[in-house]
Amino acid sequence: MKIAITGAHLVGKTTLAEKLHESLRDYIHMPEPYLELEEKGYLFSEMPTVEDFSIQLDHAIENSSIDEPDVIFDRCPLDLLAYVYVIGGSEASKNFYMKVREAMTEIDLFVLVPIETPDLIGCPENEFPDLRKKVNDLLEEWMEDFDVETITVTGTLAERENQVLRRFLELEGE
């Protein structure tokens, strides 16, 4: 099963992906594209740009076609499309939409990690809280547009992990 952890920045996606990987040891953990590209030497702008997110989006689309049956993705193309849309508008994102739609057919389970109320992690001013909120709202809206099993998780890390593992077992049993 291919599981994609999705959400805006600073909601706990990476922590959840790493925790799930501890429980699902046979799974491959695909790190967030930002981290992979940074490790390869890509220098991102201090201020988020459409170009930076477009490069991450291309990378995420490429990663989604990995020829492995069991993968946990820390972030997915839909997240990055939302960032491109919020920063650059519909014109900037329209070139990616069909590629993202196709990439999403590879995903078996979306795990949406939303901003909670109260916000469990918080977003300092230098981490672009308005961008975070807009991306969060857009992802919540867009999730219904894809024919992929989706679960929204909330609560502590343990509660989030348990919610995903319960749904995982239900899907495995079907």
Side-chain angles (χ1 to χ4, degrees), residues 59-173:
H59 189 75
I61 289 169
E62 184 180 318
N63 281 353
S64 68
S65 65
I66 186 172
D67 192 23
E68 294 289 337
D70 298 325
V71 183
I72 300 168
F73 294 98
D74 180 357
R75 202 173 272 299
C76 73
L78 188 60
D79 300 23
L80 297 160
L81 180 65
Y83 279 98
V84 169
Y85 184 89
V86 169
I87 293 173
S90 61
E91 193 62 32
S93 63
K94 76 177 182 181
N95 295 331
F96 290 105
Y97 182 79
M98 290 311 292
K99 291 180 191 176
V100 169
R101 192 154 199 69
E102 185 177 323
M104 293 299 89
T105 64
E106 298 289 330
I107 305 300
D108 300 303
L109 178 63
F110 277 133
V111 178
L112 177 61
V113 183
I115 298 171
E116 293 189 53
T117 304
D119 192 343
L120 299 181
I121 296 177
C123 186
E125 206 50 48
N126 66 336
E127 293 289 338
F128 312 102
D130 292 338
L131 175 62
R132 178 179 181 243
K133 175 76 170 108
K134 288 176 183 174
V135 167
N136 179 82
D137 293 349
L138 198 53
L139 286 171
E140 287 180 338
E141 178 185 326
W142 283 357
M143 294 307 290
E144 297 173 8
D145 294 344
F146 294 86
D147 190 26
V148 177
E149 186 67 35
T150 303
I151 181 173
T152 300
V153 297
T154 58
T156 66
L157 176 59
E159 291 168 337
R160 291 174 177 188
E161 178 190 27
N162 286 336
Q163 290 165 44
V164 174
L165 292 176
R166 267 195 313 273
R167 188 65 189 128
F168 170 83
L169 291 173
E170 289 169 2
L171 291 172
E172 288 283 296

Side-chain angles (χ1 to χ4, degrees), residues 18-92:
E18 290 170 349
K19 188 68 172 164
L20 287 170
H21 189 238
E22 288 175 15
S23 296
L24 303 171
R25 293 201 175 271
D26 293 338
Y27 273 63
I28 293 171
H29 174 242
M30 296 293 292
E32 184 171 342
Y34 180 94
L35 298 176
E36 283 190 311
L37 290 166
E38 193 176 52
E39 282 180 16
K40 292 179 180 180
Y42 185 82
L43 298 175
F44 290 97
S45 305
E46 207 170 297
M47 292 291 293
T49 66
V50 169
E51 180 182 348
D52 285 342
F53 285 112
S54 296
I55 289 168
Q56 292 176 69
L57 178 51
D58 282 333
H59 189 75
I61 289 169
E62 184 180 318
N63 281 353
S64 68
S65 65
I66 186 172
D67 192 23
E68 294 289 337
D70 298 325
V71 183
I72 300 168
F73 294 98
D74 180 357
R75 202 173 272 299
C76 73
L78 188 60
D79 300 23
L80 297 160
L81 180 65
Y83 279 98
V84 169
Y85 184 89
V86 169
I87 293 173
S90 61
E91 193 62 32

